[in-house]
Amino acid sequence: MNQEKHYNTLTEYYLNKYNSKVAKIALNANFTCPNRDGTKGYGGCTYCSKLGSGDTAGDVTLSLAEQYNQIKTIILKKWKTAQFIPYLQAYSNTYAPLQTLKDIYESILKVDPEHIVEFSIATRADCFTKEVYDYLEELNRKIPLTIELGLQSSNEETGRRIHRQLTNDEFITCVKELHKRNIQVVVHIINGLPEETKEDMLKTIDFINDLDVEGIKIHSLLLLKHTLLYEEYLKKPFPILSLEEYVEIVTQQIAKLKPSILIHRLSADGVLEDLVEPKWAIKKLVVMNEIDKHLRKWNIYQGDNFKQSSHHH
């Protein structure tokens, strides 16, 4: 654990593992999601943007190779010796027939085999078939694979409220299937969802500790224009976390989090013209610094309050 940072950072993990700067390249392969195409629902989760949370990903009008190279060029100006992790970010990236997935994944990995060290795929826990799991297992033998899954909250009531259309059991099953195949899992959670209490947000950490996943991404709810959540908010505003509240909650979540879990991020990329609230999310570095200051001030380290719970699923 880093002395500067009181938690397990991704940067340090990659530096130790690959001995160089490793950058993720977010790509948009123009997938959809079962919660948009009518399989489970229409319109997606209430907070999801029209870009399927891929707002900072590559430009979908370009081919994946072009998206990759465009971003790579920019990064190499900053870090000459960087290695890369292509990251399929927008929508649900295992949600297509197996052959389509194979074509897309392999075309990406072919773009730059020399500098691609890992491959990261964001999706939903209900977007897998047995064939897809088995194919991913095969792929993971060729290149280390990480699957990123949106949980958002372990409170099923919240899940219904945000139209997640996904049960905790489906989530647990998916993580078990991936782990059986030695595939790493990163879980995304959102703090500040409507009607959630601080207890709910801390319970979500317990749920994640029990799943024994490899990584976590935490961010605040971003209220974006053109989302169902924004329409709800206009009719009936709900409280949005202040920066102080967010920092306080994240600090307690870090203290509760199993020490081995890598923290991939603690704040959203809020550079969106559609962002309504919270305005503080735009200043990502400020948010990160406030969290660091708070941890140092109270001398809190990741895992200080971690207790492996007795109830295993």
Side-chain angles (χ1 to χ4, degrees):
M1 194 113 26
N2 180 327
Q3 283 321 297
E4 281 297 288
K5 299 272 187 189
H6 286 206
Y7 53 88
N8 250 321
T9 71
L10 197 60
T11 318
E12 194 176 23
Y13 167 79
Y14 284 142
L15 210 52
N16 291 337
K17 188 168 172 186
Y18 295 108
N19 223 346
S20 79
K21 169 74 189 173
V22 176
K24 269 176 118 176
I25 295 186
L27 303 169
N28 189 338
N30 211 10
F31 281 94
T32 180
C33 152
N35 202 5
R36 283 177 175 269
D37 68 4
T39 309
K40 284 200 159 185
Y42 292 101
C45 295
T46 58
Y47 55 81
C48 194
S49 72
K50 55 185 185 294
L51 292 172
S53 299
D55 302 83
T56 50
D59 175 351
V60 72
T61 58
L62 300 175
S63 74
L64 289 164
E66 287 168 326
Q67 289 179 40
Y68 177 92
N69 286 321
Q70 197 175 50
I71 301 167
K72 176 184 168 174
T73 309
I74 297 165
I75 295 171
L76 285 176
K77 287 195 178 108
K78 204 167 163 188
W79 294 291
K80 303 269 177 284
T81 58
Q83 312 257 43
F84 299 101
I85 299 176
Y87 172 40
L88 283 169
Q89 183 181 34
Y91 301 112
S92 303
N93 294 288
T94 52
Y95 188 57
L98 182 61
Q99 195 49 54
T100 310
L101 298 180
K102 282 185 176 174
D103 294 346
I104 289 173
Y105 299 171
E106 301 187 10
S107 74
I108 291 169
L109 296 171
K110 274 208 290 274
V111 175
D112 190 15
E114 222 175 308
H115 301 107
I116 291 179
V117 287
E118 293 184 17
F119 187 27
S120 209
I121 299 167
T123 189
R124 280 170 59 102
D126 55 0
C127 291
F128 291 88
T129 58
K130 169 94 172 60
E131 293 76 43
V132 170
Y133 280 126
D134 292 344
Y135 165 61
L136 293 175
E137 180 175 22
E138 212 179 292
L139 192 60
N140 187 45
R141 290 200 190 107
K142 298 179 200 151
I143 183 155
L145 197 55
T146 300
I147 300 292
E148 305 207 3
L149 298 172
L151 173 68
Q152 320 323 351
S153 167
S154 64
N155 180 332
E156 306 252 38
E157 194 38 56
T158 303
R160 281 190 282 280
R161 214 172 280 126
I162 59 178
H163 301 191
R164 192 182 62 171
Q165 312 281 11
L166 179 70
T167 65
N168 285 355
D169 282 343
E170 285 176 289
F171 199 89
I172 293 164
T173 304
C174 175
V175 173
K176 281 185 180 154
E177 288 296 328
L178 291 165
H179 278 164
K180 253 195 285 198
R181 295 166 169 83
N182 291 318
I183 295 168
Q184 301 215 12
V185 178
V186 175
V187 178
H188 293 208
I189 65 169
I190 297 177
N191 289 332
L193 288 163
E195 289 175 55
E196 282 238 304
T197 62
K198 184 157 125 190
E199 285 61 50
D200 289 325
M201 299 177 225
L202 291 170
K203 275 195 190 124
T204 296
I205 298 295
D206 292 330
F207 180 82
I208 288 170
N209 285 336
D210 277 353
L211 287 169
D212 219 9
V213 295
E214 287 72 27
I216 188 173
K217 281 187 176 177
I218 303 177
H219 52 76
S220 58
L221 179 69
L222 297 182
L223 191 60
L224 304 171
K225 283 178 202 153
H226 316 296
T227 60
L228 296 168
L229 193 66
Y230 181 54
E231 289 167 30
E232 285 169 30
Y233 182 81
L234 290 175
K235 289 192 195 97
K236 186 177 162 228
F238 47 85
I240 301 279
L241 294 178
S242 68
L243 178 56
E244 293 66 36
E245 290 169 316
Y246 181 73
V247 168
E248 175 59 40
I249 289 164
V250 171
T251 305
Q252 291 188 29
Q253 287 175 321
I254 290 172
K256 231 181 198 309
L257 189 66
K258 190 177 178 169
S260 61
I261 294 177
L262 271 176
I263 296 181
H264 285 236
R265 66 160 31 160
L266 291 173
S267 147
D269 287 313
V271 281
L272 304 163
E273 66 269 28
D274 286 346
L275 183 69
V276 183
E277 288 289 347
K279 295 277 185 265
W280 54 258
I282 295 168
K283 302 192 178 75
K284 191 173 171 180
L285 282 175
V286 172
V287 181
M288 304 295 292
N289 289 336
E290 286 302 314
I291 293 168
D292 284 339
K293 275 197 301 212
H294 204 79
L295 289 166
R296 283 199 288 267
K297 181 179 167 189
W298 300 103
N299 196 27
I300 294 167
Y301 282 84
Q302 180 178 339
D304 277 357
N305 301 336
F306 166 67
K307 293 178 199 62
Q308 187 82 55
S309 76
S310 48
H311 61 91
H312 267 289
H313 306 289

